[in-house]
Short mmCIF file of all heavy atoms in Angstrom, two decimals:
data_model
loop_
_atom_site.label_atom_id
_atom_site.label_comp_id
_atom_site.label_asym_id
_atom_site.label_seq_id
_atom_site.Cartn_x
_atom_site.Cartn_y
_atom_site.Cartn_z
N LEU A 419 22.42 26.86 -0.20
CA LEU A 419 22.47 25.46 -0.60
C LEU A 419 23.29 25.32 -1.87
O LEU A 419 23.25 26.18 -2.75
CB LEU A 419 21.06 24.92 -0.88
CG LEU A 419 20.15 24.55 0.29
CD1 LEU A 419 18.81 24.08 -0.25
CD2 LEU A 419 20.78 23.47 1.16
N SER A 420 24.02 24.21 -1.98
CA SER A 420 24.68 23.87 -3.23
C SER A 420 23.70 23.09 -4.10
O SER A 420 22.64 22.64 -3.62
CB SER A 420 25.91 22.99 -2.97
OG SER A 420 25.52 21.73 -2.46
N ARG A 421 24.02 22.92 -5.37
CA ARG A 421 23.14 22.15 -6.23
C ARG A 421 23.05 20.70 -5.76
O ARG A 421 21.99 20.07 -5.85
CB ARG A 421 23.63 22.20 -7.68
CG ARG A 421 23.38 23.56 -8.33
CD ARG A 421 23.65 23.57 -9.82
NE ARG A 421 23.16 24.83 -10.40
CZ ARG A 421 21.94 25.02 -10.86
NH1 ARG A 421 21.09 24.02 -10.82
NH2 ARG A 421 21.56 26.18 -11.35
N GLU A 422 24.15 20.17 -5.26
CA GLU A 422 24.14 18.80 -4.75
C GLU A 422 23.23 18.68 -3.54
O GLU A 422 22.47 17.71 -3.40
CB GLU A 422 25.55 18.36 -4.39
CG GLU A 422 26.50 18.20 -5.58
CD GLU A 422 26.96 19.52 -6.17
OE1 GLU A 422 26.83 20.56 -5.47
OE2 GLU A 422 27.45 19.53 -7.32
N GLU A 423 23.28 19.67 -2.65
CA GLU A 423 22.41 19.65 -1.47
C GLU A 423 20.95 19.82 -1.85
O GLU A 423 20.06 19.18 -1.26
CB GLU A 423 22.84 20.75 -0.50
CG GLU A 423 24.19 20.49 0.17
CD GLU A 423 24.71 21.70 0.92
OE1 GLU A 423 24.39 22.84 0.50
OE2 GLU A 423 25.44 21.51 1.90
N ALA A 424 20.69 20.67 -2.84
CA ALA A 424 19.32 20.87 -3.30
C ALA A 424 18.76 19.58 -3.88
O ALA A 424 17.62 19.20 -3.60
CB ALA A 424 19.26 21.99 -4.33
N ARG A 425 19.56 18.91 -4.69
CA ARG A 425 19.11 17.65 -5.27
C ARG A 425 18.83 16.62 -4.17
O ARG A 425 17.85 15.86 -4.25
CB ARG A 425 20.18 17.10 -6.22
CG ARG A 425 19.87 15.72 -6.81
CD ARG A 425 18.76 15.78 -7.82
NE ARG A 425 18.37 14.45 -8.28
CZ ARG A 425 17.52 14.22 -9.28
NH1 ARG A 425 16.99 15.24 -9.92
NH2 ARG A 425 17.19 13.00 -9.62
N ALA A 426 19.67 16.61 -3.15
CA ALA A 426 19.47 15.68 -2.03
C ALA A 426 18.16 15.99 -1.30
O ALA A 426 17.43 15.07 -0.89
CB ALA A 426 20.65 15.75 -1.06
N GLN A 427 17.83 17.28 -1.13
CA GLN A 427 16.57 17.66 -0.50
C GLN A 427 15.39 17.12 -1.31
O GLN A 427 14.43 16.56 -0.75
CB GLN A 427 16.46 19.19 -0.40
CG GLN A 427 17.46 19.84 0.54
CD GLN A 427 17.06 19.69 1.99
OE1 GLN A 427 15.98 19.21 2.30
NE2 GLN A 427 17.92 20.10 2.90
N TYR A 428 15.47 17.28 -2.62
CA TYR A 428 14.39 16.79 -3.49
C TYR A 428 14.23 15.28 -3.36
O TYR A 428 13.12 14.77 -3.21
CB TYR A 428 14.71 17.19 -4.93
CG TYR A 428 13.83 16.52 -5.96
CD1 TYR A 428 12.51 16.91 -6.15
CD2 TYR A 428 14.35 15.49 -6.77
CE1 TYR A 428 11.71 16.29 -7.11
CE2 TYR A 428 13.56 14.87 -7.72
CZ TYR A 428 12.25 15.27 -7.88
OH TYR A 428 11.45 14.65 -8.82
N GLU A 429 15.34 14.55 -3.41
CA GLU A 429 15.26 13.09 -3.34
C GLU A 429 14.78 12.61 -1.98
O GLU A 429 14.12 11.58 -1.87
CB GLU A 429 16.62 12.48 -3.69
CG GLU A 429 17.05 12.67 -5.13
CD GLU A 429 16.12 11.98 -6.13
OE1 GLU A 429 15.31 11.13 -5.73
OE2 GLU A 429 16.19 12.33 -7.33
N GLN A 430 15.10 13.36 -0.92
CA GLN A 430 14.60 13.00 0.41
C GLN A 430 13.07 13.12 0.45
O GLN A 430 12.39 12.32 1.09
CB GLN A 430 15.25 13.88 1.48
CG GLN A 430 16.70 13.51 1.76
CD GLN A 430 17.40 14.50 2.66
OE1 GLN A 430 16.93 15.61 2.87
NE2 GLN A 430 18.55 14.11 3.18
N GLY A 431 12.56 14.14 -0.23
CA GLY A 431 11.11 14.28 -0.31
C GLY A 431 10.48 13.11 -1.06
O GLY A 431 9.42 12.60 -0.67
N ILE A 432 11.12 12.67 -2.13
CA ILE A 432 10.66 11.50 -2.88
C ILE A 432 10.67 10.27 -1.98
O ILE A 432 9.73 9.46 -1.99
CB ILE A 432 11.53 11.26 -4.12
CG1 ILE A 432 11.37 12.39 -5.15
CG2 ILE A 432 11.22 9.90 -4.75
CD1 ILE A 432 10.04 12.41 -5.85
N ASP A 433 11.72 10.11 -1.18
CA ASP A 433 11.82 8.96 -0.27
C ASP A 433 10.64 8.93 0.71
O ASP A 433 10.12 7.86 1.03
CB ASP A 433 13.14 9.01 0.51
CG ASP A 433 14.35 8.68 -0.35
OD1 ASP A 433 14.16 8.12 -1.45
OD2 ASP A 433 15.48 8.99 0.08
N VAL A 434 10.24 10.10 1.20
CA VAL A 434 9.09 10.17 2.10
C VAL A 434 7.83 9.68 1.40
O VAL A 434 7.04 8.91 1.96
CB VAL A 434 8.90 11.60 2.62
CG1 VAL A 434 7.57 11.74 3.37
CG2 VAL A 434 10.05 12.00 3.53
N GLU A 435 7.64 10.10 0.14
CA GLU A 435 6.46 9.67 -0.60
C GLU A 435 6.50 8.16 -0.89
O GLU A 435 5.47 7.49 -0.87
CB GLU A 435 6.35 10.45 -1.91
CG GLU A 435 6.04 11.91 -1.74
CD GLU A 435 4.60 12.18 -1.30
OE1 GLU A 435 3.82 11.21 -1.12
OE2 GLU A 435 4.25 13.36 -1.15
N VAL A 436 7.69 7.62 -1.16
CA VAL A 436 7.82 6.18 -1.39
C VAL A 436 7.37 5.42 -0.15
O VAL A 436 6.61 4.44 -0.23
CB VAL A 436 9.27 5.81 -1.76
CG1 VAL A 436 9.46 4.29 -1.73
CG2 VAL A 436 9.63 6.36 -3.14
N GLU A 437 7.83 5.89 1.01
CA GLU A 437 7.44 5.24 2.26
C GLU A 437 5.93 5.32 2.46
O GLU A 437 5.28 4.34 2.87
CB GLU A 437 8.17 5.89 3.44
CG GLU A 437 7.85 5.25 4.79
CD GLU A 437 8.57 5.92 5.93
OE1 GLU A 437 9.45 6.77 5.68
OE2 GLU A 437 8.24 5.60 7.09
N TYR A 438 5.37 6.49 2.18
CA TYR A 438 3.94 6.64 2.35
C TYR A 438 3.16 5.76 1.37
O TYR A 438 2.17 5.12 1.74
CB TYR A 438 3.51 8.11 2.20
CG TYR A 438 2.02 8.18 2.29
CD1 TYR A 438 1.39 7.92 3.50
CD2 TYR A 438 1.24 8.41 1.16
CE1 TYR A 438 0.01 7.90 3.58
CE2 TYR A 438 -0.13 8.39 1.24
CZ TYR A 438 -0.74 8.14 2.45
OH TYR A 438 -2.10 8.10 2.53
N PHE A 439 3.58 5.74 0.11
CA PHE A 439 2.93 4.93 -0.91
C PHE A 439 2.88 3.46 -0.47
O PHE A 439 1.85 2.79 -0.61
CB PHE A 439 3.69 5.06 -2.23
CG PHE A 439 3.09 4.31 -3.39
CD1 PHE A 439 2.11 4.89 -4.17
CD2 PHE A 439 3.55 3.04 -3.72
CE1 PHE A 439 1.57 4.20 -5.26
CE2 PHE A 439 3.02 2.35 -4.79
CZ PHE A 439 2.02 2.93 -5.57
N CYS A 440 3.98 2.98 0.08
CA CYS A 440 4.03 1.58 0.53
C CYS A 440 3.07 1.35 1.69
O CYS A 440 2.37 0.33 1.74
CB CYS A 440 5.45 1.20 0.92
SG CYS A 440 6.58 1.09 -0.49
N ASN A 441 3.01 2.29 2.63
CA ASN A 441 2.06 2.16 3.73
C ASN A 441 0.62 2.25 3.23
O ASN A 441 -0.24 1.47 3.66
CB ASN A 441 2.31 3.26 4.78
CG ASN A 441 3.49 2.95 5.67
OD1 ASN A 441 3.68 1.81 6.09
ND2 ASN A 441 4.28 3.96 5.97
N TYR A 442 0.37 3.16 2.33
CA TYR A 442 -0.98 3.40 1.82
C TYR A 442 -1.53 2.16 1.11
O TYR A 442 -2.69 1.80 1.27
CB TYR A 442 -0.91 4.58 0.86
CG TYR A 442 -2.25 5.08 0.36
CD1 TYR A 442 -2.94 6.06 1.06
CD2 TYR A 442 -2.78 4.62 -0.83
CE1 TYR A 442 -4.15 6.55 0.59
CE2 TYR A 442 -4.00 5.10 -1.31
CZ TYR A 442 -4.68 6.06 -0.59
OH TYR A 442 -5.87 6.54 -1.06
N PHE A 443 -0.67 1.51 0.31
CA PHE A 443 -1.10 0.34 -0.46
C PHE A 443 -0.63 -0.98 0.13
O PHE A 443 -0.68 -2.02 -0.53
CB PHE A 443 -0.60 0.46 -1.90
CG PHE A 443 -1.35 1.47 -2.73
CD1 PHE A 443 -0.75 2.66 -3.09
CD2 PHE A 443 -2.66 1.23 -3.14
CE1 PHE A 443 -1.44 3.61 -3.85
CE2 PHE A 443 -3.34 2.17 -3.90
CZ PHE A 443 -2.73 3.36 -4.25
N SER A 444 -0.16 -0.96 1.39
CA SER A 444 0.26 -2.18 2.10
C SER A 444 1.31 -2.96 1.33
O SER A 444 1.24 -4.18 1.19
CB SER A 444 -0.96 -3.07 2.37
OG SER A 444 -1.87 -2.43 3.21
N ILE A 445 2.29 -2.25 0.82
CA ILE A 445 3.42 -2.88 0.13
C ILE A 445 4.56 -3.07 1.13
O ILE A 445 5.01 -2.09 1.74
CB ILE A 445 3.88 -2.02 -1.06
CG1 ILE A 445 2.80 -1.98 -2.13
CG2 ILE A 445 5.20 -2.55 -1.63
CD1 ILE A 445 3.09 -1.00 -3.26
N VAL A 446 5.01 -4.30 1.29
CA VAL A 446 6.13 -4.58 2.18
C VAL A 446 7.39 -4.57 1.32
O VAL A 446 7.79 -5.59 0.75
CB VAL A 446 5.96 -5.94 2.89
CG1 VAL A 446 7.10 -6.17 3.87
CG2 VAL A 446 4.62 -6.01 3.60
N LEU A 447 7.99 -3.40 1.24
CA LEU A 447 9.08 -3.19 0.29
C LEU A 447 10.25 -4.13 0.54
O LEU A 447 10.87 -4.63 -0.40
CB LEU A 447 9.53 -1.73 0.34
CG LEU A 447 10.31 -1.19 -0.87
CD1 LEU A 447 9.53 -1.40 -2.15
CD2 LEU A 447 10.62 0.27 -0.67
N ASP A 448 10.56 -4.38 1.80
CA ASP A 448 11.70 -5.24 2.12
C ASP A 448 11.49 -6.68 1.66
O ASP A 448 12.46 -7.44 1.54
CB ASP A 448 11.98 -5.23 3.63
CG ASP A 448 12.55 -3.90 4.10
OD1 ASP A 448 13.04 -3.14 3.25
OD2 ASP A 448 12.51 -3.63 5.32
N SER A 449 10.24 -7.05 1.43
CA SER A 449 9.95 -8.42 0.97
C SER A 449 9.78 -8.51 -0.53
O SER A 449 9.54 -9.60 -1.06
CB SER A 449 8.67 -8.94 1.67
OG SER A 449 8.86 -9.03 3.07
N CYS A 450 9.86 -7.38 -1.22
CA CYS A 450 9.70 -7.37 -2.67
C CYS A 450 11.03 -7.61 -3.37
O CYS A 450 12.10 -7.33 -2.84
CB CYS A 450 9.12 -6.03 -3.13
SG CYS A 450 7.43 -5.74 -2.61
N GLU A 451 10.92 -8.10 -4.58
CA GLU A 451 12.12 -8.32 -5.38
C GLU A 451 12.70 -6.98 -5.83
O GLU A 451 12.04 -5.95 -5.82
CB GLU A 451 11.77 -9.19 -6.59
CG GLU A 451 11.33 -10.60 -6.21
CD GLU A 451 10.85 -11.41 -7.40
OE1 GLU A 451 10.91 -10.90 -8.54
OE2 GLU A 451 10.39 -12.56 -7.19
N GLU A 452 13.96 -7.04 -6.23
CA GLU A 452 14.68 -5.84 -6.65
C GLU A 452 13.94 -5.18 -7.82
O GLU A 452 13.44 -5.84 -8.71
CB GLU A 452 16.09 -6.21 -7.08
CG GLU A 452 16.99 -5.04 -7.40
CD GLU A 452 18.41 -5.46 -7.73
OE1 GLU A 452 18.71 -6.65 -7.59
OE2 GLU A 452 19.20 -4.59 -8.13
N GLY A 453 13.89 -3.86 -7.79
CA GLY A 453 13.28 -3.11 -8.87
C GLY A 453 11.97 -2.45 -8.51
O GLY A 453 11.58 -1.47 -9.16
N ILE A 454 11.27 -2.98 -7.51
CA ILE A 454 9.99 -2.38 -7.13
C ILE A 454 10.18 -0.97 -6.60
O ILE A 454 9.47 -0.03 -6.98
CB ILE A 454 9.25 -3.26 -6.09
CG1 ILE A 454 8.82 -4.58 -6.72
CG2 ILE A 454 8.06 -2.51 -5.51
CD1 ILE A 454 7.81 -4.44 -7.84
N ARG A 455 11.16 -0.79 -5.71
CA ARG A 455 11.39 0.55 -5.15
C ARG A 455 11.71 1.55 -6.25
O ARG A 455 11.20 2.68 -6.25
CB ARG A 455 12.51 0.54 -4.11
CG ARG A 455 12.65 1.89 -3.42
CD ARG A 455 13.82 1.97 -2.46
NE ARG A 455 13.76 3.20 -1.70
CZ ARG A 455 14.13 4.39 -2.17
NH1 ARG A 455 14.60 4.50 -3.42
NH2 ARG A 455 14.03 5.47 -1.42
N ASP A 456 12.55 1.16 -7.20
CA ASP A 456 12.92 2.07 -8.28
C ASP A 456 11.69 2.48 -9.09
O ASP A 456 11.59 3.63 -9.53
CB ASP A 456 13.94 1.41 -9.20
CG ASP A 456 15.32 1.28 -8.56
OD1 ASP A 456 15.57 1.96 -7.55
OD2 ASP A 456 16.14 0.50 -9.08
N GLN A 457 10.75 1.56 -9.26
CA GLN A 457 9.53 1.90 -9.99
C GLN A 457 8.69 2.92 -9.22
O GLN A 457 8.08 3.81 -9.83
CB GLN A 457 8.71 0.64 -10.25
CG GLN A 457 9.30 -0.31 -11.27
CD GLN A 457 8.32 -1.43 -11.59
OE1 GLN A 457 7.22 -1.20 -12.10
NE2 GLN A 457 8.71 -2.65 -11.28
N ILE A 458 8.64 2.77 -7.90
CA ILE A 458 7.86 3.73 -7.10
C ILE A 458 8.53 5.09 -7.14
O ILE A 458 7.86 6.13 -7.24
CB ILE A 458 7.70 3.23 -5.66
CG1 ILE A 458 7.03 1.86 -5.63
CG2 ILE A 458 6.87 4.23 -4.84
CD1 ILE A 458 6.97 1.23 -4.25
N VAL A 459 9.87 5.11 -7.05
CA VAL A 459 10.60 6.37 -7.16
C VAL A 459 10.30 7.04 -8.50
O VAL A 459 10.02 8.24 -8.56
CB VAL A 459 12.12 6.13 -7.01
CG1 VAL A 459 12.91 7.38 -7.40
CG2 VAL A 459 12.46 5.73 -5.58
N ASP A 460 10.34 6.26 -9.57
CA ASP A 460 10.05 6.82 -10.90
C ASP A 460 8.63 7.37 -10.96
O ASP A 460 8.38 8.42 -11.57
CB ASP A 460 10.23 5.75 -11.97
CG ASP A 460 11.69 5.38 -12.19
OD1 ASP A 460 12.57 6.14 -11.75
OD2 ASP A 460 11.94 4.31 -12.79
N LEU A 461 7.69 6.67 -10.33
CA LEU A 461 6.30 7.13 -10.29
C LEU A 461 6.21 8.51 -9.66
O LEU A 461 5.54 9.41 -10.19
CB LEU A 461 5.46 6.13 -9.50
CG LEU A 461 4.05 6.58 -9.08
CD1 LEU A 461 3.17 6.80 -10.31
CD2 LEU A 461 3.41 5.57 -8.14
N TYR A 462 6.90 8.70 -8.55
CA TYR A 462 6.80 9.98 -7.86
C TYR A 462 7.61 11.07 -8.55
O TYR A 462 7.26 12.26 -8.44
CB TYR A 462 7.17 9.84 -6.38
CG TYR A 462 5.96 9.37 -5.60
CD1 TYR A 462 5.79 8.03 -5.29
CD2 TYR A 462 4.95 10.26 -5.26
CE1 TYR A 462 4.65 7.59 -4.63
CE2 TYR A 462 3.82 9.84 -4.60
CZ TYR A 462 3.67 8.50 -4.29
OH TYR A 462 2.54 8.08 -3.66
N HIS A 463 8.63 10.72 -9.28
CA HIS A 463 9.29 11.71 -10.10
C HIS A 463 8.29 12.29 -11.11
O HIS A 463 8.25 13.50 -11.35
CB HIS A 463 10.48 11.11 -10.84
CG HIS A 463 11.69 10.94 -9.99
ND1 HIS A 463 12.71 10.07 -10.31
CD2 HIS A 463 12.07 11.52 -8.82
CE1 HIS A 463 13.65 10.11 -9.39
NE2 HIS A 463 13.28 11.00 -8.47
N VAL A 464 7.47 11.41 -11.69
CA VAL A 464 6.47 11.87 -12.66
C VAL A 464 5.39 12.70 -11.96
O VAL A 464 5.04 13.79 -12.43
CB VAL A 464 5.83 10.67 -13.38
CG1 VAL A 464 4.67 11.13 -14.27
CG2 VAL A 464 6.86 9.93 -14.22
N LEU A 465 4.85 12.19 -10.85
CA LEU A 465 3.79 12.92 -10.15
C LEU A 465 4.28 14.28 -9.66
O LEU A 465 3.60 15.30 -9.83
CB LEU A 465 3.26 12.10 -8.98
CG LEU A 465 2.44 10.86 -9.35
CD1 LEU A 465 2.03 10.10 -8.10
CD2 LEU A 465 1.20 11.24 -10.16
N TYR A 466 5.45 14.31 -9.05
CA TYR A 466 5.99 15.58 -8.56
C TYR A 466 6.21 16.57 -9.70
O TYR A 466 6.05 17.77 -9.53
CB TYR A 466 7.30 15.34 -7.82
CG TYR A 466 7.17 15.13 -6.33
CD1 TYR A 466 5.98 14.69 -5.76
CD2 TYR A 466 8.24 15.38 -5.48
CE1 TYR A 466 5.86 14.51 -4.40
CE2 TYR A 466 8.13 15.21 -4.11
CZ TYR A 466 6.94 14.78 -3.58
OH TYR A 466 6.82 14.61 -2.22
#
């Protein structure tokens, strides 16, 4: 793997958690205003 590919793998894992978080807490991300997704991503960066 290259460093770019490794980083992409990590971010794909974060994306999975973002999707799960939204399902878990019944968040309809497509109906939310801009910025909500970025906050969830940041949350999982911290948790991970």
Side-chain angles (χ1 to χ4, degrees):
L419 282 178
S420 67
R421 287 189 170 271
E422 292 74 17
E423 290 169 330
R425 175 71 186 188
Q427 293 282 353
Y428 168 74
E429 292 297 344
Q430 286 171 345
I432 293 289
D433 288 344
V434 170
E435 292 287 0
V436 169
E437 181 181 351
Y438 176 68
F439 182 86
C440 290
N441 282 320
Y442 187 89
F443 286 108
S444 297
I445 294 172
V446 183
L447 200 55
D448 289 342
S449 297
C450 292
E451 295 174 3
E452 186 177 353
I454 292 297
R455 186 185 189 282
D456 288 344
Q457 289 187 62
I458 302 174
V459 168
D460 289 344
L461 167 66
Y462 276 97
H463 281 160
V464 174
L465 289 177
Y466 268 23

